């Protein structure tokens, strides 16, 4: 062949390949408001119906193509949708568009004012609406595909912390509530923070990240924005409504001055333990704000949209984007009732006859029978990549901590986590949260998966992300600020920074002896003075709710120092000892010699040696971070608060117990209720000047 002809053929092939690799996008918002009323509505403990419409609900679809593959993303104004129905909707879409079903992501916004398509708790799926929605989802995908055009996309991120907060709080050990089965298991529950006297603090972290993927045509005209935020529905609307998700999207279009073809979408982030009301700001039980001062849905949606678009002009849209998508299916077991519980449930169901459940007990009795019949279920997990932007999904109401884990470990820093996608399989609390009980853990279709479901799902999602990114997951590293460097320079023999995502291992920063978290500890809450400990990151801590960090330190002698930061969750005078934060003594021994440091009923530092007690002089504020150091030198004891001497005493040093506890006493009496962080142990008695260095001020 003529060399010149061969060259022309190669150029033509290259041009053809480049043309096929062109990034294209199409988007549509298809009205899926029910046509027939009344219609069953999800979101309550017992069955309810809607007879009208406050604002329309939509199935909003985006189809993306790069010349090699096509991907469809659909976000539906629905509380949750079952996997079998969505599998059928995807199959219909595949027939109409050719897009493979495993390249289709369909999620629910989780509005609690949408027609029911999934039977859950006291509500059945609406038999007329469910097939209607199934067809509309396929129609939306087909219509978005028709609108494919050359496009470009980019990423935006904003901190929207004031728009989200923890709704699940840890209850005091003397205020444990009963579950629907009559057992006192509720150590943490939704909205318990309304009454400060009942609680010790939040049960986990929030995720303040408001992220969005912006799609434009090649001339810069907005085509669609896919946003994601971790906040449950707003509430307060009775008739059919898209809740804040729809109003946020409408605001995006208005603020961008986009035409009617623009599609704004708010997808649901990891919000299983999240709501909008920040119970840390006021005690709602005794000091609720007047109704006119409470945030309304329109103001909330407008403010959130303004925050999302604050950096919109800085987005770097790119057209040279390729696509990748992966899916896996996993079988998980349900937590089924034992023989006794099943007999109890069947007796209640038999007494009800054919009527709907009217009480929480009746609802959960029915759920036990259903879980026993089903035993297990199949779930769908996905990950997709748009250039250097990633999305992964769970079919659950996922805690904010789970989303933070996935984002921190994802191979790509620009990662969005969409929950209630490709199914509606209920809450998946991290395993340590099951120990604390509460609504999010009660076995039902709304929260019935096995205890280890969350780590299994996280691992599967990370593997999918690695596949689509073609690179390994990241390993989160904790920065060392000035305060952390002071600890390191003083050469502790053990140092637990308590920044783990999960237990049971408490990692020793020095690489020496790790500790073990017992049940009754939750993770990744905000710790003290991030700018001094972890600049550029949120300093993280553990919240203790009856459990301890336990280890053995056989080489620790009669001269040693323990330094830690503490945050007390118990009200003054709620018990004789508010909590023991450190203990050295034989495990399970009663009134045995040892070193025990805590707070007395008045909030004063307390040192006890097994026989005698010594009290500090400064009252410690509840829910405030402070630093304490206990220094033993032979029989001499000194306890410092924020660098100042509080207790000076004598205590025998004849017992050199190997058992060492953080967050409780050796006999498990009055264990700590609150957060602890930056626990450092030194094999010598630090000087007063050295102790002062351990207490930096913000």
């Amino acid at each position: 062949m003529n060399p010149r002809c061969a060259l022309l053929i190669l150029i033509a092939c290259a041009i053809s390949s480049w043309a096929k690799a062109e990034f294209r996008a199409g988007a549509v918002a298809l009205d899926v408001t029910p046509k027939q009323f009344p219609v069953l509505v999800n979101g309550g403990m017992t069955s309810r119906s809607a007879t009208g419409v406050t604002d329309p609900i939509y199935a909003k679809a985006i189809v993306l193509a790069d010349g090699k593959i096509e991907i469809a993303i659909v976000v539906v104004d629905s509380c949750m949708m079952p996997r079998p129905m969505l599998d059928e909707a995807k199959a219909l879409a595949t027939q109409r568009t050719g897009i493979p079903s495993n390249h289709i992501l369909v999620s629910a916004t989780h509005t609690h004012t949408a027609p029911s398509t999934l039977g859950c708790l006291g509500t059945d799926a609406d038999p007329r609406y469910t097939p209607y929605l199934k067809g509309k989802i396929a129609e939306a995908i087909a219509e978005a595909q028709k609108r494919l055009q050359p496009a470009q996309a980019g990423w935006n991120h904003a901190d929207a912390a004031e728009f989200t907060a923890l709704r699940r709080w840890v209850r005091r050990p003397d205020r444990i509530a009963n579950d629907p089965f009559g057992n006192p298991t509720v150590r943490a529950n939704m909205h318990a923070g309304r009454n400060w006297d009942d609680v010790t603090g939040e049960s986990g972290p929030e995720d303040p990240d408001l992220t969005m993927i912006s799609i434009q045509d090649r001339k810069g005209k907005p085509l669609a924005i896919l946003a994601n935020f971790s906040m449950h529905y707003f509430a307060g609307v009775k008739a059919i409504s898209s809740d804040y998700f729809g109003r946020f999207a409408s605001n995006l279009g208005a603020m961008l001055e986009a035409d009617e073809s623009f599609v704004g979408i708010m997808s649901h982030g990891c919000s299983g333990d999240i709501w909008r009301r920040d119970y840390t700001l006021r005690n709602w039980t005794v000091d609720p704000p007047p109704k006119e001062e409470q945030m309304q849905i329109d103001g909330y949606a407008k403010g959130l949209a303004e925050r999302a678009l604050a950096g919109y002009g800085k987005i770097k849209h790119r057209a040279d984007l390729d696509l990748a998508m992966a899916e896996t299916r996993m079988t998980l077991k349900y937590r089924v009732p034992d023989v006794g519980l099943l007999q109890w449930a069947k007796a209640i169901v038999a007494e009800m006859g054919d009527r709907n459940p009217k009480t929480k007990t009746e609802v959960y009795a029915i759920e036990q029978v259903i879980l026993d019949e089903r035993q297990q279920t199949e779930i769908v997990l996905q990950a997709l990549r748009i250039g250097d932007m990633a999305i992964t999904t769970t079919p659950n109401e996922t805690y904010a901590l789970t989303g933070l884990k996935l984002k921190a470990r994802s191979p790509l820093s620009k990662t969005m986590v969409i929950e209630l996608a490709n199914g509606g399989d209920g809450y998946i609390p991290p395993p340590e949260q099951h120990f604390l009980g509460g609504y999010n853990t009660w076995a039902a279709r709304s929260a019935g998966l096995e205890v280890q479901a969350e780590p299994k799902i996280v691992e599967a999602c990370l593997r999918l992300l690695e596949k689509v990114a073609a690179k390994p997951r990241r390993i989160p590293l904790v920065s060392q600020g000035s305060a952390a460097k002071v600890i390191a320079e003083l050469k502790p023999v053990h140092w637990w920074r308590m920044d783990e995502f999960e237990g049971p291992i408490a990692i020793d920063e020095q690489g020496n002896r790790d500790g073990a978290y017992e049940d009754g500890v939750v993770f990744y809450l905000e710790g003290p003075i991030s700018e001094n400990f972890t600049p550029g990151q949120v300093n993280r801590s553990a919240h203790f709710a009856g459990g301890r960090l336990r280890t053995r330190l056989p080489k620790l002698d009669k001269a040693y120092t323990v330094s830690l930061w503490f945050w007390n969750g118990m009200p003054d005078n709620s018990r004789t000892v508010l909590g023991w934060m450190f203990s050295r003594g034989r495990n399970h021994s009663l009134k045995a010699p040892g070193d025990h440091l805590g707070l007395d009923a008045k909030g004063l530092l307390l040192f006890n040696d097994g026989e005698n007690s010594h009290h500090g002089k400064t009252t410690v504020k509840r829910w405030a971070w402070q630093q304490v150091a206990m220094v033993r030198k032979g029989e001499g004891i000194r306890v410092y608060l924020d660098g100042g001497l509080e207790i000076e005493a004598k205590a025998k040093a004849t017992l050199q117990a190997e058992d060492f506890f953080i967050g409780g006493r050796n006999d498990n009496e009055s264990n700590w209720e609150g957060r602890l962080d930056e626990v450092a142990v030194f094999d010598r008695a630090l000087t007063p000047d050295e102790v002062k260095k351990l207490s930096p001020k913000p």
Side-chain angles (χ1 to χ4, degrees), residues 420-447:
L420 289 174
N422 308 304
D425 293 286
Y427 292 99
I428 49 161
E432 64 274 7
Q433 295 285 347
H434 280 275
F435 183 79
L436 301 182
Y439 164 73
N440 314 65
T441 71
W442 297 337
R445 285 170 293 175
S446 58

Side-chain angles (χ1 to χ4, degrees), residues 40-94:
L40 292 173
V41 173
N42 269 131
M45 187 64 66
T46 55
S47 184
R48 64 191 176 101
S49 298
T51 58
V53 178
T54 300
D55 55 276
I57 58 176
Y58 292 91
K60 298 177 178 179
I62 298 172
V63 171
L64 305 174
D66 68 355
K68 296 179 181 178
I69 66 171
E70 290 185 6
I71 288 171
I73 301 169
V74 188
V75 178
V76 183
D77 289 321
S78 175
C79 186
M80 46 194 170
M81 298 172 289
R83 177 194 52 76
M85 186 206 85
L86 292 178
D87 283 348
E88 292 173 6
K90 292 176 185 179
L92 288 174
T94 299

Side-chain angles (χ1 to χ4, degrees), residues 175 290 303:
R175 300 287 172 91

Side-chain angles (χ1 to χ4, degrees), residues 193-223:
R194 287 178 296 201
N195 186 349
W196 287 358
D197 196 43
D198 285 345
V199 295
T200 65
E202 300 136 298
S203 68
E206 66 181 37
D207 182 355
D209 290 349
L210 171 58
T211 56
M212 59 182 199
I213 297 172
S214 169
I215 301 171
Q216 299 178 342
D217 70 12
R218 292 294 176 84
K219 295 181 179 180
K221 174 187 174 183
L223 298 178

Side-chain angles (χ1 to χ4, degrees), residues 510-527:
Q510 302 293 85
N512 296 322
R513 183 179 290 270
D514 292 336
Y517 290 110
E518 299 173 334
D519 288 337
V521 183
V522 291
F523 304 99
Y524 216 60
L525 291 100
E526 187 170 355

Side-chain angles (χ1 to χ4, degrees), residues 227-386:
N228 183 261
F229 190 53
S230 294
M231 206 291 280
H232 236 70
Y233 69 105
F234 190 91
V237 181
K238 300 299 182 185
I240 294 298
S241 170
S242 58
D243 205 273
Y244 87 89
F245 309 96
R247 301 187 195 195
F248 168 88
S250 298
N251 285 323
L252 286 183
M255 292 173 185
L256 288 171
E257 298 181 349
D259 63 27
E260 292 183 357
S261 66
F262 171 77
V263 180
I265 307 174
M266 170 60 83
S267 62
H268 207 215
C270 298
S271 309
D273 54 349
I274 296 293
W275 200 44
R276 58 185 167 84
R277 186 177 295 164
D278 188 349
Y279 293 119
T280 67
L281 300 180
R282 66 193 310 142
N283 189 344
W284 277 75
T285 298
V286 299
D287 183 30
K291 190 171 182 179
E292 60 271 14
E293 293 181 14
Q294 296 183 32
M295 183 179 290
Q296 302 301 312
I297 187 170
D298 288 329
Y300 180 89
K302 182 174 182 291
L304 195 60
E306 289 172 343
R307 183 62 52 83
L309 294 180
Y312 180 79
K314 298 179 181 178
I315 296 178
K316 294 181 179 180
H317 292 84
R318 291 173 45 203
D320 57 335
L321 302 173
D322 64 331
L323 303 173
M325 190 164 182
E327 175 180 295
T328 189
R329 292 185 176 233
M330 177 187 298
T331 298
L332 292 174
K333 296 184 183 301
Y334 283 124
R335 287 177 287 123
V336 298
D338 60 22
V339 174
L341 183 56
L342 185 59
Q343 289 177 345
W344 168 87
K346 285 183 174 180
I348 292 174
V349 173
E351 186 176 337
M352 289 170 54
D354 294 332
R355 68 170 173 83
N356 288 331
K358 296 180 180 179
T359 67
K360 187 184 295 183
T361 298
E362 290 178 346
V363 166
Y364 279 91
I366 292 174
E367 291 293 330
Q368 302 318 298
V369 175
I370 293 172
L371 293 182
D372 181 69
E373 291 171 349
R374 295 188 177 182
Q375 293 290 316
Q376 63 186 29
T377 190
E378 182 182 70
I379 68 167
V380 175
L381 304 172
Q382 294 175 331
L384 64 89
R385 179 179 57 78
I386 308 166

Side-chain angles (χ1 to χ4, degrees), residues 30-32 59 74 76 81 85-86 88-93 96 117 128-143:
L30 193 68
D31 192 323
V32 295
V74 188
V76 183
M81 298 172 289
M85 186 206 85
L86 292 178
E88 292 173 6
K90 292 176 185 179
L92 288 174
R96 296 183 62 173
T117 63
R128 295 178 302 186
Y129 184 78
T130 302
Y132 171 76
L133 180 61
K134 180 171 62 177
K136 284 292 186 180
I137 291 171
E139 183 182 340
I141 295 170
E143 185 59 35

